[in-house]
Amino acid sequence: QVHLVESGGGLVQPGGSLRLSCAASGFTFSSYWMYWVRQAPGKGLEWFSTINTGGGATYYADSVKGRFTISRDNAKNTLYLQMNNLKPEDTAVYYCTAASGRISPGRYDYDFWGQGTQVTVSS
């Protein structure tokens, strides 16, 4: 049974940092492209980061470029997201997702989804 379990969310002040983790099980993690998407209150899904199977290629939306870093540890079956200089507009539920290939931004037909973790940026 496939599981993607996010952790590390919470309440942080503007300018602060958080590190999200996503523990994967039930599939061959190292063979899957991994993604982070988020959904702000009252808004649709927003893709913002991708990492390829080996971790050597990463992609970011302009909204997070330079502030967020995606990484993965295939030995630990874990995906990470380091978020720095957080802004109130980063408040959202953050999901990790997996796909056997590269999914273009704006498409959300991933193979697997986590349950999400809440990130709230507020003073």
Side-chain angles (χ1 to χ4, degrees):
Q1 190 173 4
V2 171
H3 290 286
L4 289 172
V5 181
E6 301 95 338
S7 61
L11 174 64
V12 62
Q13 292 186 340
S17 298
L18 282 176
R19 188 192 196 205
L20 304 185
S21 298
C22 173
S25 61
F27 65 103
T28 306
F29 179 75
S30 59
S31 296
Y32 279 71
W33 289 61
M34 298 298 297
Y35 305 80
W36 287 100
V37 302
R38 64 187 181 183
Q39 187 165 28
K43 296 188 177 181
L45 291 168
E46 178 195 13
W47 164 85
F48 64 88
S49 191
T50 299
I51 189 166
N52 72 341
T53 55
T58 57
Y59 308 88
Y60 300 94
D62 288 343
S63 59
V64 306
K65 196 174 296 181
R67 300 188 298 121
F68 291 10
T69 303
I70 189 172
S71 62
R72 66 191 295 164
D73 186 335
N74 286 343
K76 295 183 178 179
N77 289 349
T78 304
L79 176 72
Y80 302 101
L81 182 69
Q82 178 66 44
M83 303 187 293
N84 298 329
N85 190 23
L86 282 159
K87 304 176 180 180
E89 52 264 43
D90 293 317
T91 295
V93 177
Y94 283 67
Y95 299 92
C96 70
T97 68
S100 58
R102 184 174 178 181
I103 303 295
S104 300
R107 289 180 52 188
Y108 299 99
D109 51 337
Y110 306 110
D111 295 317
F112 310 125
W113 289 73
Q115 84 289 349
T117 187
Q118 177 70 46
V119 172
T120 301
V121 185
S122 175
S123 55

